[in-house]
């Protein structure tokens, strides 16, 4: 005689009608609630200069999940100066009209105590642009005031785990000022954008080799986000017809790689302004997305990207206490400079030249900061 174990589950057909109805209702409720329960808590993301053209190209990508993940809800905090608030309201309306499921809240403000509250990520796009007739020291002085204020706001209001990306130029030195003005936040949480230069270099090599940009990896931008930067392809690899080759072997034009390639990348921003009568916005926004996505999710195995980070303790003899662009790999939201790369005399001279410019910028900026 066979028996049914006590632990066996009876088929639905054998259950009383009232129990079946209750199970169906509970199943429907769970199915409706599961997507909400499985989503993370919203993260708080700040974009400054939010009424500007870079932010206009950037905000949609962030809000629809391209940067922090397709299942990560977020609150966008948008900061700009008071005269730009009417324009910013228009940006807010457009974001609302996109009806994006991940965008839980939009806060538009001209107050740092509101914008910097409990941040998980801060993208500092806004800065004082260089105007006609303005000397570089005057530009530095104006931006020291901006990034000292924002650094202090990060220190006072943001989470200590906040990841800070400085985009506004001069980005390296602005990042240094913000970092020094936020002593309670780890220095490694600060970086500046040289991913645009990195992407430009990658694209130039790809076009020269007639391959997609995804077939080019491990280009390096050393130093300052300026015309002294050094785009280096000595460690770059190119996938040619399924076979990975050194960049110099793939391009087969050393003179171009050591000449026009470098100057093209160094002067690309100026070329865009000359052609478009406006600075790079679409490509800058894409680079910001690339940079922050890699911080959040890490770099692919065997690849490195370029970021402006704290130079202290590096093994490439770059002076300490600079924000200098290095090749980095990222894991668990922490970057590490790629060590042990061979540096020839050609590269060394260019790395030193861009460091010299950064030292001059730093010393001028710190002089203003101390006053």
């Amino acid at each position: 005689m066979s028996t049914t174990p006590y632990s066996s589950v009876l088929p639905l057909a054998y259950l009383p009608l009232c129990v079946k109805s209750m199970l169906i209702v509970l199943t429907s409720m769970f199915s409706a609630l599961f997507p909400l329960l499985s989503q993370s808590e919203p993260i708080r993301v700040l974009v400054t200069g939010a009424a500007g053209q870079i932010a206009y190209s950037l905000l949609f990508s962030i809000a629809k999940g391209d940067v922090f993940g397709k299942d990560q809800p977020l609150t966008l905090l948008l900061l700009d100066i008071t005269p730009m608030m009417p324009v910013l309201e228009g940006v807010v309306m457009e974001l609302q009209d996109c009806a994006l499921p991940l965008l839980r809240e939009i806060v538009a403000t001209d107050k740092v105590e509101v914008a910097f509250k409990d941040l998980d990520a801060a993208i500092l796009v806004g800065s004082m642009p260089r105007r006609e007739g303005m000397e570089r020291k005057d530009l530095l002085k104006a931006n020291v005031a901006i990034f000292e204020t924002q650094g202090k706001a990060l220190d006072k209001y943001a989470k200590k785990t906040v990841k800070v990306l400085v985009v506004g130029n001069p980005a390296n030195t602005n990042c240094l000022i913000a970092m020094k003005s936020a002593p309670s936040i780890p220095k490694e949480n600060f970086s500046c954008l040289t991913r645009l230069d990195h992407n430009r270099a990658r694209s130039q090599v790809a076009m020269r080799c007639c391959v997609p940009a995804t077939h080019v990896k491990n280009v390096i931008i050393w130093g300052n986000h300026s015309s002294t930067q050094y785009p280096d392809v000595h460690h770059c690899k190119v996938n040619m017809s399924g076979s990975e080759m050194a960049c110099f072997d793939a391009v087969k034009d050393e003179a171009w790689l050591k000449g026009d390639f470098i100057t093209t990348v160094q002067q690309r921003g100026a070329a865009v302004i000359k052609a478009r009568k406006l600075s790079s916005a679409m490509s800058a926004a894409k680079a910001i997305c690339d940079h922050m996505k890699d911080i959040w999710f890490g770099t692919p195995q065997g690849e490195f990207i370029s970021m402006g980070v704290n130079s202290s303790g590096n093994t490439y003899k770059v002076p300490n206490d600079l924000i200098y662009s290095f090749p980095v790999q990222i894991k668990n939201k922490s970057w590490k400079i790629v060590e042990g790369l061979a540096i020839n005399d050609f590269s060394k001279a260019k790395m030193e030249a861009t460091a010299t410019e950064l030292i001059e910028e730093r010393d001028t900026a710190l002089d203003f900061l101390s006053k």
Side-chain angles (χ1 to χ4, degrees), residues 9 12 38 60 86 88 90 121 126 145 179 189 197 229 254 265 304 329 334 346 352 354 359 366:
V9 178
L12 191 62
S38 64
F60 178 70
L88 188 53
M179 182 183 76
N189 287 20
D197 309 302
Q229 66 176 264
E254 183 174 348
V265 176
F304 47 77
Q329 292 176 318
S334 296
F346 178 86
E352 289 175 350
T354 191
I359 291 168
L366 292 181

Side-chain angles (χ1 to χ4, degrees), residues 123-192:
I123 303 170
L124 308 183
V125 178
S127 64
M128 172 69 76
R130 191 166 188 172
R131 297 184 177 130
E132 190 174 350
M134 180 182 281
E135 294 186 15
R136 189 165 184 81
K137 67 177 182 179
D138 296 325
L139 179 68
L140 285 169
K141 184 177 181 179
N143 280 296
V144 164
I146 293 169
F147 285 88
E148 180 184 17
T149 298
Q150 294 186 356
K152 288 180 176 179
L154 285 163
D155 200 57
K156 186 173 182 180
Y157 300 112
K159 295 177 182 177
K160 302 311 174 189
T161 54
V162 63
K163 300 298 184 183
V164 182
L165 168 59
V166 176
V167 179
N169 287 319
N172 299 60
T173 301
N174 287 345
C175 184
L176 183 73
I177 296 301
M179 182 183 76
K180 287 182 175 293
S181 301
S184 70
I185 296 173
K187 289 181 172 62
E188 57 267 25
N189 287 20
F190 289 82
S191 58
C192 84

Side-chain angles (χ1 to χ4, degrees), residues 62-314:
I62 293 175
K64 74 184 181 76
D66 289 351
V67 179
F68 300 103
K70 297 296 185 182
D71 59 353
Q72 177 60 68
L74 48 82
T75 294
L76 272 180
L77 297 109
L78 309 180
L79 178 70
D80 217 312
I81 57 176
T82 304
M84 296 301 293
M85 292 308 292
V87 177
L88 188 53
E89 286 303 318
V91 175
V92 170
M93 286 189 279
E94 287 215 66
L95 284 168
Q96 292 168 340
D97 294 347
C98 289
L100 297 164
L102 296 175
L103 185 55
R104 298 300 170 79
E105 186 181 6
I106 309 167
V107 179
T109 183
D110 56 359
K111 297 176 174 59
V112 293
E113 62 270 23
V114 175
F116 285 80
K117 182 69 173 174
D118 294 332
L119 292 180
D120 295 286
I123 303 170
L124 308 183
V125 178
S127 64
M128 172 69 76
R130 191 166 188 172
R131 297 184 177 130
E132 190 174 350
M134 180 182 281
E135 294 186 15
R136 189 165 184 81
K137 67 177 182 179
D138 296 325
L139 179 68
L140 285 169
K141 184 177 181 179
N143 280 296
V144 164
I146 293 169
F147 285 88
E148 180 184 17
T149 298
Q150 294 186 356
K152 288 180 176 179
L154 285 163
D155 200 57
K156 186 173 182 180
Y157 300 112
K159 295 177 182 177
K160 302 311 174 189
T161 54
V162 63
K163 300 298 184 183
V164 182
L165 168 59
V166 176
V167 179
N169 287 319
N172 299 60
T173 301
N174 287 345
C175 184
L176 183 73
I177 296 301
M179 182 183 76
K180 287 182 175 293
S181 301
S184 70
I185 296 173
K187 289 181 172 62
E188 57 267 25
N189 287 20
F190 289 82
S191 58
C192 84
L193 188 74
T194 57
R195 187 59 171 270
L196 177 54
D197 309 302
H198 180 101
N199 288 350
R200 287 165 171 166
R202 191 180 187 188
S203 177
Q204 288 295 315
V205 170
M207 289 189 292
R208 193 77 173 189
C209 295
C210 300
V211 299
T214 51
H215 286 204
V216 180
K217 68 178 185 180
N218 297 351
V219 299
I220 304 170
I221 303 297
W222 299 98
N224 201 2
H225 174 60
S226 74
S227 60
T228 69
Q229 66 176 264
Y230 171 41
D232 177 12
V233 292
H234 284 89
H235 306 281
C236 170
K237 302 293 184 184
V238 182
N239 187 323
M240 301 284 288
S241 303
S243 177
E244 203 169 77
M245 303 174 63
C247 182
F248 277 81
D249 294 334
V251 172
K252 297 184 175 67
D253 191 340
E254 183 174 348
W256 180 77
L257 287 170
K258 289 187 172 182
D260 287 349
F261 162 73
I262 293 174
T263 55
T264 295
V265 176
Q266 288 174 332
Q267 299 170 11
R268 189 67 161 185
V272 170
I273 291 172
K274 183 178 179 181
R276 191 171 172 257
K277 309 301 185 264
L278 291 168
S279 61
S280 305
M282 186 195 318
S283 55
K286 168 62 165 53
I288 292 166
C289 291
D290 292 342
H291 181 116
M292 292 304 293
K293 185 175 182 180
D294 282 345
I295 287 179
W296 233 249
F297 297 104
T299 49
Q301 185 70 27
E303 293 189 30
F304 47 77
I305 52 92
S306 304
M307 288 171 51
V309 297
N310 182 19
S311 65
S312 297
N314 78 89

